Amino acid sequence: MTDDEARTGPDGRADPQPDTGGRDSGAGAPEDTATERPPGTTSADTADREPPGTTPLDAGYAEPEAAPPAPNRGTGPRGTDLVPTPLRVTSEVCARTLIIAATFGLLVFLIIELRIVVVPVAIAVLLAALLAPVVHWLVARKVPRGPATFLVLVGGIALLGGLLSFVVNTFIAGFPDLQQQLSASFQSIQQLLAGPPLRIPTSQFDNLPGQIEQAVRNNVDALTSGALSTALTVTEIAAGLALALFSLIFFLYDGPRIWRFMLKATPQARRDRVDVAGRRAFASLVGYTRATVLVAVVDAVGIGIGLWAVGVPLVIPLAALVFLGAFIPTVGAVVTGVIAVLIALVANGIIPALIVLGVVIAVQQLEGHVLQPLLLGRAVSLHPLAVVLAVAAGVVISGIAGALLAVPLLAVITAAVRSLRAPVEPSPLLVNAVNPRHGHPIASVGDTSDRPSFVSRILARFTPSS
């Protein structure tokens, strides 16, 4: 056999896969075998019929399909995907609302349980908001803070003690006249009830003192326990007054340092904004207390003049009661006005009582439409419905003390929230915590100067310019 026959084969055609010597003839090694083609076909024809990317070894072999992965927690649908979106959002909102409500309920519960401590401290904060501007004024005139605090406290206690002494002495002095007028009014009421249409026998009124005495004897135990509880209440009031006075001293003397210590609990990145919010909240409280005192004075003087003109007894004690009631917004003025009208009705008759009612309504309208909008201003702008609801909630939670503290607390929270929601606030050093005009966020950062007051603007109109 020649070399040409060895290369072309016995039939003269070229060997499709010549042996290049690369086969491994070792034992167990796989052999390269050629794929058989039909006679008369070439390798090009075979390549045209085969899909791209296949080799003769892959011909006639199909790759099995990939089996789906086994179900597990990572590949299966999540539980939240099976819940409709509205239901999921509603449940999340309800859960967060319940958490907030539970936290608020726990806070209210703690306040009620610790009311012997919380109420005196809150009253001390109110008094500090009323007296802090005076201390600040003295300190600004080179008076040391310690002597300034001492002078303000002594002056305030002397003024309050003198006012209470005057009211009590006036009440004691006018009580005999009131007793005589009450006796005369009782007789007139007795005659009115004995006539038509009621026709109540006068004998029932004659036995009224004996019935009262018998009722007292039958309820000795209840009255004794009530006296003991009253003694405990008096003790609690005395302890609360001592705590309020002690707290007031430190609030006036060391208030800025106490506030800086409380700021350490806030995040460093938000400390300046919280500082500004706290300063504006206290400035709002200063404006509230100042305006409330002025409104209370106007109410007491106006109603007192009306009672004096009509001839109602105990004018000074009733005016003092009106003054104290004005510290409970809306509700206090109504209650004290009703008491004044009832005293006038019993002591003087129906016509003087109607006159006193007209005076009370006129003073309250003056307060609601002129004094409060003018004195409170934007620093403490609260809707009347919010005031009434706050007073009602305060009465339910903590009685008279709650009614007294509800509106100031609402004013403080409102001022703080407004400051925190403001887009831009100035440096804390530019916000004066004892200036009521700084109780509301300013329009711009550069507008930090004190705006002139209403009285200053009025006087400026009538003052000729030089």
Side-chain angles (χ1 to χ4, degrees), residues 49-409:
R49 289 193 300 266
E50 291 178 353
T54 59
T55 60
L57 293 176
D58 297 330
Y61 176 77
E63 185 73 17
E65 296 180 0
N72 52 46
R73 293 184 179 180
T75 59
R78 295 180 299 175
T80 54
D81 295 337
L82 301 177
V83 181
T85 301
L87 180 59
R88 184 173 67 253
V89 172
T90 304
S91 62
E92 292 178 357
V93 171
C94 292
R96 287 168 171 78
T97 304
L98 289 176
I99 293 174
I100 295 174
T103 304
F104 181 75
L106 179 60
L107 179 62
V108 172
F109 174 77
L110 293 177
I111 291 175
I112 294 175
E113 291 296 321
L114 300 176
R115 61 184 178 275
I116 300 177
V117 178
V118 174
V119 173
V121 173
I123 293 176
V125 173
L126 282 178
L127 294 177
L130 182 62
L131 300 177
V134 183
V135 176
H136 181 76
W137 183 82
L138 292 175
V139 171
R141 281 150 182 81
K142 309 303 180 181
V143 179
R145 197 170 189 87
T149 302
F150 177 77
L151 291 176
V152 170
L153 284 176
V154 171
I157 293 174
L159 180 62
L160 181 61
L163 180 62
L164 291 178
S165 176
F166 177 72
V167 170
V168 171
N169 291 331
T170 305
F171 180 81
I172 294 175
F175 185 76
D177 295 336
L178 179 62
Q179 187 176 7
Q180 293 178 1
Q181 292 185 0
L182 289 177
S183 299
S185 300
F186 180 75
Q187 292 178 0
S188 62
I189 292 174
Q190 181 180 355
Q191 294 176 359
L192 180 63
L193 294 177
L198 298 178
R199 301 185 184 279
I200 300 176
T202 57
S203 59
Q204 295 186 3
F205 297 99
D206 296 336
N207 298 330
L208 186 60
Q211 294 176 1
I212 294 175
E213 182 179 359
Q214 186 64 32
V216 171
R217 291 178 180 178
N218 295 334
N219 296 276
V220 173
D221 295 337
L223 293 176
T224 304
S225 61
L228 292 176
S229 62
T230 303
L232 293 176
T233 303
V234 171
T235 304
E236 291 179 358
I237 292 175
L241 289 176
L243 180 59
L245 180 60
F246 188 76
S247 301
L248 177 61
I249 294 173
F250 282 98
F251 287 157
L252 293 177
Y253 176 72
D254 216 10
R257 185 180 300 179
I258 295 174
W259 174 243
R260 288 193 297 269
F261 174 77
M262 294 176 63
L263 282 177
K264 294 181 180 179
T266 60
Q268 183 68 33
R270 302 287 295 175
R271 188 166 296 175
D272 288 344
R273 290 301 298 266
V274 175
D275 191 5
V276 173
R279 290 170 181 264
R280 293 199 186 280
F282 192 78
S284 176
L285 186 61
V286 171
Y288 171 82
T289 54
R290 183 181 300 178
T292 303
V293 169
L294 294 178
V295 169
V297 169
V298 173
D299 288 352
V301 171
I303 294 178
I305 292 174
L307 294 174
W308 174 78
V310 174
V312 178
L314 302 178
V315 175
I316 300 300
L318 288 177
L321 183 63
V322 171
F323 175 80
L324 296 176
F327 284 91
I328 302 176
T330 306
V331 179
V334 172
V335 173
T336 55
V338 169
I339 293 176
V341 172
L342 291 177
I343 294 295
L345 176 63
V346 173
N348 298 84
I350 186 170
I351 301 300
L354 292 178
I355 296 175
V356 172
L357 178 62
V359 171
V360 170
I361 293 176
V363 171
Q364 290 183 358
Q365 292 298 317
L366 177 65
E367 170 193 343
H369 295 283
V370 178
L371 294 179
Q372 287 188 353
L374 178 63
L375 297 176
L376 294 181
R378 295 181 61 193
V380 189
S381 56
L382 298 175
H383 195 275
L385 179 60
V387 173
V388 173
L389 292 178
V391 172
V395 170
V396 172
I397 294 175
S398 188
I400 298 177
L404 177 64
L405 300 174
V407 179
L409 179 62

Side-chain angles (χ1 to χ4, degrees), residues 430-442:
L430 300 177
V431 179
N432 190 357
V434 296
N435 191 342
R437 287 191 291 271
H438 288 189
H440 195 275
I442 56 180

